Amino acid sequence: MTLRRIAIALAACAAAAAGGLAGPATARADTPASYVALGDSYTSGPLILPISPSAPLDCLQSAENYPHLTAAALGLSLSDVSCAGADTSNMTTAQFADQPPQFDALTASTRVVTVGIGGNDNSTFLTALAGCSAIDGIAGAGSGDLCALAYGNKFADQIAADETNVAGALQQIHTLSPAARVFVVGYPDILPQSGSCFSQMPITTADVAYLNGVELDLNAMLRTAAGQNGATYVDTYGASVGHDSCQGESTRWVEPLLPSTDAVSAHPNAAGEAADARAVEAAIG
């Protein structure tokens, strides 16, 4: 073979190799990264309209919750399996007949995972909020800290014990989606930092402080579990201070006992989900 033919052959090989590399790389760049959202009602955004058409009605999932908003803002391909009432066990066991284990959505190609769980484990949020509202609502606004006296360290102990379950869930996410970046999303501020609004949330000032401590314990546990298990903690609490359920309708991000907008009581409204989305988007970058 002459030098000219060798040069032509080498050039052809180089062009073919370049084309082979450029083609798939371009395709991958044009394909939205896969994003799986796992979680409970603080993720699913129950009753915030419009309802997501791709989720079971049991889950009361909104098409305007933070996973949907985040996916749209960052150009991600979303699989949102968050569901109202879910706890850590529902990551691996079916919650409803039409809602399989949430981890079924995870694949080896998943690149981003957000998970918002923990509040329903041991019925912590439900028992704390409903229990305190019942006790204080019957006793009256000036009844002191009857709820704190009734429950004591119960919630703190349950939250501490639940860290093992959350850690195990995060480890399983890494096993099922080893290439994914994992983000643990905390809970926003539900009650004011001081005082109370007994007509909107029938909880005394002293018990508001007690319940704030419960939520801070939960978020601290989630932050620790994330840090020790290869995940990034997303703080939604700090930005939400001053936007709690006691604030005016135009200010609050969490609804009071009787919601005035499309949302569930003591849960984020549309503005709250949008605020959570901003925090998640910033974390994902």
Side-chain angles (χ1 to χ4, degrees):
M1 181 180 290
T2 66
L3 289 177
R4 182 172 181 275
R5 288 180 178 176
I6 292 173
I8 292 173
L10 290 174
C13 289
L21 291 173
T26 301
R28 284 193 295 270
D30 292 339
T31 302
S34 171
Y35 165 28
V36 174
L38 313 167
D40 58 26
S41 54
Y42 278 70
T43 300
S44 67
L47 300 187
I48 298 174
L49 299 177
I51 300 299
S52 172
S54 61
L57 289 178
D58 304 313
C59 293
L60 303 176
Q61 187 188 110
S62 171
E64 294 292 324
N65 64 5
Y66 75 74
H68 283 80
L69 297 176
T70 297
L74 300 182
L76 304 174
S77 175
L78 175 64
S79 176
D80 184 359
V81 291
S82 62
C83 192
D87 59 30
T88 306
S89 71
N90 297 127
M91 301 299 104
T92 54
T93 61
Q95 185 176 351
F96 302 111
D98 56 356
Q99 172 68 356
Q102 293 193 21
F103 280 180
D104 285 7
L106 298 172
T107 69
S109 63
T110 302
R111 289 297 179 267
V112 175
V113 177
T114 59
V115 53
I117 52 171
N120 289 331
D121 290 20
N122 303 302
S123 298
T124 296
F125 269 1
L126 177 61
T127 304
L129 289 168
C132 284
S133 295
I135 292 171
D136 290 347
I138 293 172
S143 56
D145 60 347
L146 292 180
C147 186
L149 292 173
Y151 290 109
N153 293 326
K154 173 181 178 176
F155 302 121
D157 292 343
Q158 288 179 338
I159 289 167
D162 195 42
E163 184 176 341
T164 300
N165 296 327
V166 175
L170 295 176
Q171 292 163 14
Q172 184 67 2
I173 291 171
H174 288 302
T175 298
L176 296 171
S177 300
R181 298 169 64 202
V182 182
F183 300 86
V184 176
V185 182
Y187 292 88
D189 187 22
I190 301 171
L191 297 167
Q193 296 299 292
S194 61
S196 65
C197 56
F198 203 82
S199 62
Q200 294 174 270
M201 296 289 280
I203 303 170
T204 66
T205 296
D207 282 334
V208 163
Y210 169 69
L211 290 178
N212 280 337
V214 171
E215 186 173 7
L216 290 173
D217 285 345
L218 176 58
N219 280 334
M221 181 273 284
L222 294 173
R223 183 189 293 273
T224 299
Q228 293 179 351
N229 293 278
T232 299
Y233 177 73
V234 181
D235 177 19
T236 63
Y237 188 93
S240 67
V241 170
H243 298 278
D244 56 81
S245 60
C246 283
Q247 306 307 313
E249 184 176 345
S250 63
T251 302
R252 63 177 175 252
W253 294 350
V254 175
E255 288 299 300
L257 183 62
L258 296 176
S260 62
T261 185
D262 300 327
V264 173
S265 61
H267 281 70
N269 53 30
E273 289 289 338
D276 289 350
R278 292 192 293 272
V280 173
E281 291 159 21
I284 294 173

